[in-house]
Amino acid sequence: MTLSTTPGVKVKSPVKASGPLRLVAGRLGFLIAALFGLVTLSFLLVSVTPGDPAELIAGPMATNEQVEAIRTDLGLDESIGTRYVDYVGGLLKGDLGESYFTKQSIASEIGDKLPATLELIILSVIFAAIVGIAVGALGAYFRGRWPDKLSRLGTGVFQAVPDFFLGLILIYFIFFVLGIAPAPSGRVGIAESAPEQVTGFYLIDSLISGDMGLFVSAAKHLMLPVLTLGLVYAAYFAKTARSTIGKALNSQQAQFARAMGLPERTVVRYAFVESRTTIVTYAGVIFASLLGGEAIVERVFAWNGIGTWSLQGITKLDLPVVQGMVLVAGAITLIVYTVLDIVVGLLDPRIKHA
């Protein structure tokens, strides 16, 4: 007798597994709703910030009439509802407004600054992932022995050191003492000109222009800031990799593989495959956190990226700059998380997303 033939017992239909298309459609729908929430939240957060940009622009010697004239010119005398409608309407046309101080388009400013930050972050995350996973895997495989103790010591040290402070230490030793790296003067040398902009990534643009000297210079100027961010976040990768790979190496599947006489390298490869979703997710989280949190490192290395630009906007209460930064950083973060959800869901269909 089966449950389906039992009188009075209602048998539930089996839940259909979510296919890839359903997963992608669901994630994209959530992304659109989250972007709308981000637009509203960024507008409200910046609009209720204490302080009057008109008074800052006018200066301490300005009269009330001059301040009011600037406030009217900036549209700050309008109601918050009117400003929100204008803001959303501008966004739909690709208009993020103009800086109160420079009168430059926010969209063009972001287009100029963002590639510098992305070039730095992408290379830092790649460096951190390679070094961190290697150190974490070493610690997991030799758990409790001296390689594990050494990797845990290094992980603890780099986790405890603030990234900007590590940057100053690296500048002193690698630039000032050893003379290996160039001075922290930006993306290229002071006497050098930027390559003609195609992508905004100096490494790629210098290759496109065929200027190998500029390519080498750009690579050298990337060395110190990438080391700074990469070493700090490699420690976080190492800690995660040690935990996930160690768990996989001690799993029943790994023990069964060893009992079947499979080579140890095959068992280790299985452990990497088992822990890949956690590591991929962690890479996305670190990328998103760096996008909004590496501004001080940019200042240390005179890196003309979006972090430095937004810091200047915050100190001057340049609201369109702050709104643009919040919006772009939030949008990229949401897109990265959405792509991660899709990739992780495709890699491991057992994972169910809330």
Side-chain angles (χ1 to χ4, degrees), residues 175-336:
F175 161 64
F176 185 73
V177 177
L178 300 177
I180 299 174
S185 59
R187 303 176 70 184
V188 290
I190 296 175
E192 295 173 313
S193 301
E196 184 179 353
Q197 183 165 350
V198 179
T199 65
F201 291 65
Y202 277 15
L203 291 179
I204 298 175
D205 289 350
S206 58
L207 285 177
I208 292 175
S209 63
D211 192 339
M212 289 306 297
L214 194 58
F215 173 80
V216 173
S217 176
K220 286 183 176 178
H221 281 81
L222 273 165
M223 181 168 61
L224 283 181
V226 167
L227 269 179
T228 300
L229 294 175
L231 286 175
V232 170
Y233 287 94
Y236 293 91
F237 267 109
K239 191 172 183 179
T240 302
R242 179 180 180 274
S243 173
T244 55
I245 295 176
K247 188 181 295 182
L249 284 172
N250 292 318
S251 65
Q252 291 182 348
Q253 291 89 338
Q255 294 175 9
F256 179 74
R258 289 191 178 101
M260 293 294 292
L262 293 179
E264 193 64 15
R265 64 176 181 277
T266 305
V267 177
V268 173
R269 183 163 59 84
Y270 284 161
F272 270 104
V273 173
E274 183 69 18
S275 58
R276 68 186 185 277
T277 54
T278 303
I279 293 174
V280 168
T281 303
Y282 204 70
V285 172
I286 287 180
F287 177 87
S289 65
L290 277 174
L291 188 61
E294 45 72 67
I296 299 179
V297 173
E298 283 193 1
R299 291 296 296 268
V300 169
F301 291 97
W303 205 260
N304 192 22
I306 198 170
T308 302
W309 175 71
S310 62
L311 268 183
Q312 293 169 349
I314 291 171
T315 54
K316 292 190 294 188
L317 207 60
D318 199 344
L319 299 186
V321 170
V322 181
Q323 279 180 332
M325 173 60 187
V326 172
L327 196 60
V328 169
I332 293 178
T333 301
L334 285 173
I335 292 171
V336 168

Side-chain angles (χ1 to χ4, degrees), residues 38-40 42-43 82-92 95-97 320 323-324 327:
L38 172 66
V39 169
T40 305
S42 64
F43 175 81
T82 304
R83 288 160 55 193
Y84 177 70
V85 171
D86 292 341
Y87 180 64
V88 174
L91 287 180
L92 293 176
D95 181 12
L96 298 180
Q323 279 180 332
L327 196 60

Side-chain angles (χ1 to χ4, degrees), residues 18-42:
S18 298
L21 289 179
R22 179 176 296 184
L23 172 67
V24 173
R27 293 294 92 189
L28 290 181
F30 175 79
L31 173 63
I32 294 172
L35 286 175
F36 179 74
L38 172 66
V39 169
T40 305
L41 187 62
S42 64

Side-chain angles (χ1 to χ4, degrees), residues 89-105:
L91 287 180
L92 293 176
K93 299 175 184 175
D95 181 12
L96 298 180
E98 292 181 349
S99 166
Y100 287 164
F101 292 85
T102 65
K103 298 299 181 184
Q104 296 293 317
S105 164

